[in-house]
């Protein structure tokens, strides 16, 4: 098994990391029936997975038309709100942002793989408010990220990726507490199969007519055992785990997994120490 994305090869601290990608690389696809996964979540957790602000339908329709064009579809269902109809056709989660009251705010959001947040946490909120919990975001990144949103050209698609380690293969995790409560039950020798690399691939693009921004999130989950078959990547992961900045480790709760990851790395020939030197 090979990992599709390995952002730990290049990053072990918070970063903006937005880079241009080719237009035909926008959505990665590969899932047969996204609606089969997303529709039950909408039925069982409507407030967690969907929200729209008043006045967002024109930008939603423009976003949906872009998705339709990317998929080569004829026309999305007219019934649900347009961003939701589009989200049901793709693997990615879709977040629409519009400049309102002088700041970029989330005006519609469809989630199926949220990493520890819900639609109600972000709908109507600004980039500054959403990133309040991210250590150092307002000092280090906010002004630059707002400038990127302001100056984004319609012909440019940007991508960023992040990584973390979790103890569940479940993409739908609005709340990390139930998962984290199970960490003590994991035996060190089971770490390779019980721990997962959780990688988010996000894209950002401008909608030329309404001026809105469309942010996409796709989560990829692979057991640590996927690294075992790929020595260079295993080494890169071991390096990232050791080198990760202290506030990054604390924010992602990586210390909860230190013993298990150390055991995994030892079992696979990677000597390991965290914050030891
Ligand atoms: C495109 C520019 C953006 C940048 C550079 C950015 C950057 C970051 C960073 C550095 C983090 C910490 C985790 C990580 O390393 O990824 C983070 C977390 C997060 N981001 Fe963003 N972000 C962006 C856009 C957005 C948008 C549009 C949303 C809207 C939903 C969003 C929602 C979140 C949430 C919910 C978190 C977790 C916050 C928490 O811990 O409660 N981000 N972001």
């Amino acid at each position: 098994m090979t990992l599709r994305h390995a952002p730990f090869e290049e990053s072990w601290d918070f970063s903006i990391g937005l880079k241009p990608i080719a237009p035909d690389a926008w959505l990665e696809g590969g899932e047969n029936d996204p609606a089969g996964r997303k529709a039950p979540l909408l039925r069982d957790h409507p407030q967690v997975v969907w929200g729209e602000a008043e006045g967002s339908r024109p930008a939603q329709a423009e976003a949906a038309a872009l998705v339709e064009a990317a998929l080569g579809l004829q026309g999305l269902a007219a019934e649900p709100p347009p961003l939701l109809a589009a989200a049901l056709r793709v693997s990615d989660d879709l977040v629409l942002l519009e400049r309102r009251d002088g700041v970029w705010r989330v005006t519609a959001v469809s989630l199926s793989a949220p990493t520890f947040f819900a639609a109600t946490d972000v709908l109507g909120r600004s980039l500054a408010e959403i990133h309040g919990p991210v250590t150092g975001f307002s000092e280090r990144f906010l002004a630059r990220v707002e400038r990127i949103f302001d100056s984004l050209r319609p012909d440019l698609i940007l991508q960023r990726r992040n990584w973390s380690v979790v103890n569940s293969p479940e993409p739908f995790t609005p709340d990390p507490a139930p998962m984290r409560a199970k960490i003590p039950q994991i035996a060190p020798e089971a770490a390779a199969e019980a721990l997962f690399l959780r990688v988010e691939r996000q894209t950002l693009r401008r909608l030329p007519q309404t001026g809105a921004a469309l942010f996409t999130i796709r989560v990829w989950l692979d057991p640590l055992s996927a690294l075992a078959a790929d020595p260079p990547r295993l080494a890169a992961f071991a390096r990232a785990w050791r080198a990760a900045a202290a506030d990054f480790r604390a924010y992602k709760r990586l210390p909860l997994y230190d013993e298990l990851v150390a055991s995994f790395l030892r079992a696979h020939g990677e000597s390991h120490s965290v914050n030891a030197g």
Side-chain angles (χ1 to χ4, degrees):
M1 193 188 334
T2 55
L3 299 173
R4 181 162 191 132
H5 294 285
F8 49 83
E9 288 176 338
E10 45 197 61
S11 150
W12 40 88
D13 195 357
F14 295 121
S15 68
I16 293 181
L18 286 162
K19 295 192 185 125
I21 54 168
D24 61 3
W26 179 36
L27 303 174
E28 293 185 319
E31 183 180 21
N32 279 341
D33 182 20
R37 177 171 59 83
K38 293 185 175 191
L41 296 172
L42 189 63
R43 183 191 62 220
D44 298 340
H45 312 274
Q47 312 290 324
V48 176
V49 302
W50 168 249
E52 60 175 330
E54 226 171 277
S56 65
R57 290 287 174 101
Q60 285 192 44
E62 192 183 2
L66 269 189
V67 170
E68 208 174 305
L71 298 181
L73 291 173
Q74 282 308 317
L76 294 163
E79 182 52 39
L83 194 76
L84 182 55
L88 288 166
R89 305 301 292 266
V90 292
S91 294
D92 306 65
D93 288 352
L94 302 180
V95 185
L96 189 67
L97 294 100
E98 295 177 77
R99 210 175 151 85
R100 291 195 178 170
D101 321 317
V103 287
W104 286 94
R105 291 185 186 279
V106 172
T107 59
V109 52
S110 169
L111 300 176
S112 64
T115 305
F116 318 151
F117 70 104
T120 44
D121 296 325
V122 297
L123 186 67
R125 302 262 154 83
S126 66
L127 287 169
E129 289 164 341
I130 291 167
H131 293 95
V134 182
T135 326
F137 190 91
S138 65
E139 300 86 344
R140 288 170 68 191
F141 303 134
L142 181 62
R144 266 189 292 159
V145 172
E146 283 178 333
R147 260 201 312 279
I148 290 168
F149 271 78
D150 284 343
S151 58
L152 194 59
R153 298 196 325 251
D155 57 346
L156 201 62
I157 304 178
L158 300 175
Q159 170 185 290
R160 72 181 291 271
R161 304 175 308 178
N162 69 20
W163 66 271
S164 190
V165 167
V166 294
N167 56 303
S168 166
E170 171 60 55
F172 178 70
T173 52
D175 176 3
M179 171 184 85
R180 287 179 183 152
K182 295 186 182 142
I183 297 172
Q185 297 162 20
I186 304 170
E189 49 296 356
E193 300 302 334
L195 299 191
F196 296 80
L197 280 161
R198 186 173 177 116
V199 169
E200 286 185 2
R201 175 204 183 246
Q202 306 166 343
T203 72
L204 179 67
R205 64 186 296 179
R206 161 87 71 236
L207 306 181
Q209 278 145 37
T210 55
L214 179 59
F215 184 69
T216 70
I217 308 167
R218 175 86 180 262
V219 165
W220 294 91
L221 283 150
D222 290 282
L224 288 192
S225 60
L227 290 167
D230 191 339
R233 282 201 159 155
L234 176 66
F237 173 73
R239 191 169 60 235
W241 191 265
R242 268 184 235 122
D247 56 0
F248 175 94
R249 281 174 47 76
Y251 171 81
K252 304 212 167 193
R253 303 290 194 279
L254 300 186
L256 293 173
Y257 301 105
D258 269 341
E259 277 179 37
L260 293 168
V261 170
S263 162
F264 165 76
L265 291 175
R266 265 196 312 273
H268 293 86
E270 280 288 336
S271 65
H272 173 71
S273 72
V274 176
N275 296 340

